[in-house]
Amino acid sequence: MDSSAPSHLEQRLTGHLQTLYPKLDASELARNCLTTFHLDANSEPPRPHKNLWDQSDIMLITYADTLRSEESTPLETLHKFVKNNLSESISAVHLLPFFPYSSDDGFSVMDYTTVNPSSGDWTNISNITKDFKVMGDLVINHCSSRSMWFENYKAGVSPGAEYFYETAPQSDLSNVVRPRTSPLLREVQTKNGIKHVWCTFSHDQIDLNFENPEVLLEFLRIIRLYLEKGIRWFRLDAVAFLWKTPGTNCINLPNTHEMIRLLRLMIEHWAPDSVIITETNIPNRENLTYFGNANEAHLIYNFSLPPLLINTLVTGNCSHLKSWLMGMPPAQQGTTYLNFVASHDGIGLRPTEGLLSEWEIDTLIGTMKKFGGKVSSRTTPEGEAKPYEINISLWNALSGSVLHGPDQWQFARFLCAAGVQMALEGVPAFYIHSLFGTENDHERVSNTGQFRSINRHIWQMEELEHALNTNTHHKKVFEAMSRLMKIRRAQAAFHPNATQYVLHMGDELFAFWRQSIDRRQSLFAVYNISDQPQTFNLSELNLIATEDWTDLVSDQRYEDQMAQVTLMPYQFMWLANKTTRPKD
């Protein structure tokens, strides 16, 4: 074999680059990428279709500074709290952007290589990676208008001179899909005259130009730094908008998928245990394409779950949730879903397109407004403003029902949502405020002027510790959530890739069956999603007669497999044959 011949890795990389940059020497660029990334061209490829997770994986989503104390930096405070209180409940921590930023609570990054000094430093990040898997945000679509790159762009010097996407106002932008209502283009005075730069999200967030390979090389340096600091899970923020071609809708373009395949190729050769997660808040069918052929995202966000599950619990009807779940393809081995119900952002409405009617969406929006929520809008290609997301804390979102408003079932409804999230195929990810039942923060909205701040409360540790040690709903939520998480982590049938089948038990009972990969454990998850008691017969579940069956939630054992079961409002059961109890 010719030792000078390109390696298999180099050949694959060259293929991706040839597609992205057909006018350049792809072979030379491939060698440059490998050198920049400090990657040996002969690195062994990871085993394909390998699951890099199991039932013990539960993710915590949090900002670096959500928990604050006068005694330590926010990152140190967070690490201490999670290590002391959640070591048996979670396996991974998603640290939302922890870099210096100018707006959008971290998503207008000024410097990708520095930890925001007000939160801590890289040592704090690396310390967390020693105890938990850590997912970091790769804010890849845009950066801050106050970044060094953008200052250099305006001055016409490197790095940055050609890092940003420009287009003329007269370009055909009529089909561009937008997640915001602000003007798409921002006029900027530069050394070379007036330019118009692309701003998908806000005029403080300038879109990067990946048509320039120097931008790719810059991000390879950034990714390598994160890998060196111990980060192994990568969230590709807003990646659906990455590539632009005027005259198209500029979302989900083929070159965007090609870029994801390239980044995955590089990252998983550097660290075979790395995981790519795409953040694409778009209709369900489009979202599913980010799995590629098991060669793009390892995990995709299950964006349709939050609005559908919340709608189910406030209407008392699971028909839409059930129909959606029946239509979701089982993930291939080596891929799975990231299941979340609450996050730092709002409840996305685009993922309901084709799943809920306009009337049902309007009813959901109206109900959430009654519970203290706000609504953010986007601009359609026709120039109309359309609701984009509902901004509300999950605790408040589940405070009542469409018909009766706030009621006495808030806690039960809240726990029911968590019970569904933990049991579905995929890896569950819990926003830190879902562990405490944090309420709407209207004061923070007033201070920032941003609707999303309603669900971005900052806890002072003294205040939080008092809430978790006194007779509050925060304590009740935290203890119940911790218990359920520990139970979930011990069940093989809850492996993210275990078999899942939807059961048909009417509109008020949502149910599905999970079976472990080795087929030894079967588990029936049955949820009363209404505010009235619901009764069913165990015979409807076709339980294996030779097995003993126990509800893991209540610890009740069922010897009579023809027995009638009544679930109180929002009560649920995880009925399993082989039971594994978490350690005390």
Side-chain angles (χ1 to χ4, degrees):
M1 180 178 176
D2 183 0
S3 60
S4 64
S7 66
H8 181 61
L9 169 59
E10 193 172 339
Q11 288 177 343
R12 290 179 63 191
L13 180 57
T14 300
H16 292 307
L17 292 167
Q18 185 66 56
T19 299
L20 291 166
Y21 307 106
K23 297 180 180 180
L24 301 180
D25 184 338
S27 297
E28 181 181 352
L29 183 54
R31 290 190 290 272
N32 197 357
C33 286
L34 291 169
T35 300
T36 299
F37 206 56
H38 295 183
L39 184 60
D40 185 344
N42 295 306
S43 298
E44 288 294 319
R47 196 178 86 207
H49 300 287
K50 179 182 180 182
N51 294 324
L52 299 171
W53 44 78
D54 62 23
Q55 62 272 16
S56 69
D57 281 303
I58 297 179
M59 181 176 287
L60 175 72
I61 306 169
T62 181
Y63 280 103
D65 63 349
T66 294
L67 306 183
R68 296 184 184 178
S69 168
E70 295 181 359
E71 300 174 358
S72 56
T73 66
L75 277 167
E76 289 172 326
T77 302
L78 174 69
H79 187 193
K80 180 179 178 182
F81 178 84
V82 174
K83 187 175 181 179
N84 290 344
N85 297 280
L86 294 172
S87 288
E88 295 179 4
S89 306
I90 68 163
S91 62
V93 178
H94 171 199
L95 285 175
L96 291 157
F98 46 79
F99 316 102
Y101 66 94
S102 55
S103 65
D104 199 16
D105 284 346
F107 286 91
S108 298
V109 180
M110 295 170 63
D111 181 359
Y112 290 85
T113 64
T114 304
V115 177
N116 193 330
S118 65
S119 293
D121 55 31
W122 277 116
T123 299
N124 300 140
I125 303 290
S126 295
N127 286 341
I128 298 175
T129 69
K130 295 172 184 176
D131 294 317
F132 303 93
K133 300 172 185 177
V134 171
M135 180 162 82
D137 267 280
L138 197 64
V139 185
I140 197 169
N141 179 71
H142 52 262
C143 75
S144 169
S145 66
R146 291 172 53 193
S147 65
M148 179 192 71
W149 291 349
F150 196 62
E151 291 299 323
N152 287 351
Y153 163 79
K154 291 186 288 186
V157 299
S158 296
E162 298 179 343
Y163 277 18
F164 298 92
Y165 195 89
E166 302 172 350
T167 194
Q170 60 268 30
S171 300
D172 180 8
L173 307 177
S174 59
N175 294 317
V176 175
V177 171
R178 296 293 313 289
R180 299 289 186 272
T181 55
S182 57
L184 176 62
L185 302 183
R186 171 182 166 180
E187 183 179 294
V188 180
Q189 179 68 53
T190 75
K191 178 185 176 182
N192 299 313
I194 296 291
K195 301 292 181 181
H196 293 86
V197 293
W198 195 288
C199 302
T200 296
F201 290 90
S202 80
H203 282 195
D204 187 41
Q205 295 166 301
I206 318 298
D207 283 37
L208 293 153
N209 180 17
F210 274 86
E211 290 181 10
N212 177 5
E214 289 300 321
V215 175
L216 168 60
L217 293 172
E218 194 73 71
F219 270 88
L220 289 179
R221 295 185 191 98
I222 291 166
I223 294 169
R224 189 192 73 222
L225 171 65
Y226 298 175
L227 286 164
E228 291 170 348
K229 298 300 183 182
I231 294 171
R232 288 294 180 270
W233 290 42
F234 292 85
R235 177 184 184 267
L236 305 188
D237 176 64
V239 71
F241 302 96
L242 185 71
W243 205 274
K244 287 85 176 167
T245 303
T248 73
N249 62 7
C250 298
I251 188 171
N252 309 320
L253 296 186
N255 278 7
T256 293
H257 288 277
E258 193 72 37
M259 184 64 72
I260 295 169
R261 291 191 284 270
L262 184 155
L263 293 176
R264 171 165 171 171
L265 178 71
M266 299 288 284
I267 292 170
E268 67 182 6
H269 273 78
W270 201 98
D273 60 339
S274 292
V275 173
I276 305 295
I277 302 180
T278 51
E279 188 269 332
T280 47
N281 190 357
I282 52 181
N284 192 54
R285 185 179 294 273
E286 298 170 27
N287 192 29
L288 288 167
T289 65
Y290 282 86
F291 278 137
N293 185 25
N295 61 351
E296 293 186 32
H298 293 89
L299 284 81
I300 63 171
Y301 277 78
N302 231 341
F303 272 108
S304 295
L305 178 62
L308 288 181
L309 181 54
I310 292 169
N311 184 71
T312 293
L313 290 167
V314 298
T315 62
N317 186 312
C318 68
S319 58
H320 292 307
L321 180 64
K322 187 165 59 176
S323 296
W324 164 75
L325 194 60
M326 289 171 60
M328 290 293 284
Q332 294 186 56
Q333 297 296 314
T335 67
T336 194
Y337 299 100
L338 190 74
N339 295 323
F340 74 107
V341 182
S343 74
H344 60 292
D345 288 340
I347 302 163
L349 294 174
R350 287 213 69 206
T352 66
E353 293 177 13
L355 301 174
L356 297 179
S357 69
E358 288 294 324
W359 178 83
E360 287 167 323
I361 293 171
D362 289 343
T363 300
L364 178 62
I365 290 172
T367 302
M368 294 299 102
K369 284 183 175 179
K370 291 177 182 177
F371 297 164
K374 308 289 186 180
V375 179
S376 298
S377 298
R378 66 182 179 93
T379 300
T380 66
E382 294 75 33
E384 299 176 2
K386 188 172 184 178
Y388 176 71
E389 68 177 18
I390 301 168
N391 304 111
I392 191 170
S393 80
L394 185 61
W395 177 253
N396 288 96
L398 297 175
S399 61
S401 68
V402 168
L403 289 178
H404 304 122
D407 58 24
Q408 72 270 39
W409 304 113
Q410 185 174 21
F411 172 77
R413 192 181 286 113
F414 188 86
L415 209 61
C416 185
V420 172
Q421 184 182 349
M422 287 189 212
L424 287 173
E425 173 190 355
V427 174
F430 290 95
Y431 190 35
I432 192 167
H433 292 299
S434 295
L435 302 188
F436 310 139
T438 308
E439 302 102 326
N440 289 335
D441 191 337
H442 293 288
E443 181 180 353
R444 190 167 171 80
V445 173
S446 298
N447 292 338
T448 66
Q450 302 296 321
F451 286 165
R452 284 181 167 178
S453 297
I454 199 170
N455 197 26
R456 297 177 179 179
H457 181 69
I458 300 295
W459 280 98
Q460 299 298 325
M461 278 309 300
E462 183 178 350
E463 174 193 11
L464 179 60
E465 288 170 353
H466 181 264
L468 297 181
N469 287 287
T470 53
N471 186 26
T472 65
H473 81 268
H474 303 295
K475 174 183 171 68
K476 190 177 179 182
V477 167
F478 187 71
E479 290 178 347
M481 290 285 288
S482 298
R483 176 177 177 269
L484 281 179
M485 292 160 89
K486 291 174 187 176
I487 294 172
R488 180 239 147 73
R489 299 185 76 196
Q491 313 309 317
F494 283 151
H495 187 287
N497 295 87
T499 298
Q500 175 176 285
Y501 283 109
V502 178
L503 305 178
H504 298 278
M505 301 179 68
D507 290 340
E508 292 81 21
L509 288 171
F510 177 59
F512 50 91
W513 171 69
R514 303 293 308 277
Q515 185 183 57
S516 61
I517 293 174
D518 64 8
R519 298 189 178 185
R520 295 181 62 188
Q521 186 185 39
S522 284
L523 195 152
F524 293 87
V526 185
Y527 306 80
N528 177 1
I529 51 80
S530 77
D531 58 6
Q532 298 296 317
Q534 299 295 330
T535 299
F536 69 96
N537 295 314
L538 286 180
S539 59
E540 297 179 52
L541 301 180
N542 294 320
L543 303 179
I544 302 171
T546 56
E547 300 279 8
D548 294 326
W549 295 89
T550 302
D551 174 18
L552 302 177
V553 180
S554 67
D555 284 327
Q556 183 173 346
R557 184 174 176 180
Y558 290 89
E559 296 181 356
D560 180 5
Q561 296 180 14
M562 304 298 288
Q564 192 174 72
V565 176
T566 298
L567 295 178
M568 297 304 291
Y570 307 104
Q571 183 184 354
F572 63 94
M573 63 192 309
W574 290 341
L575 192 62
N577 57 346
K578 308 290 183 182
T579 60
T580 303
R581 306 307 303 180
K583 297 178 181 178
D584 292 332

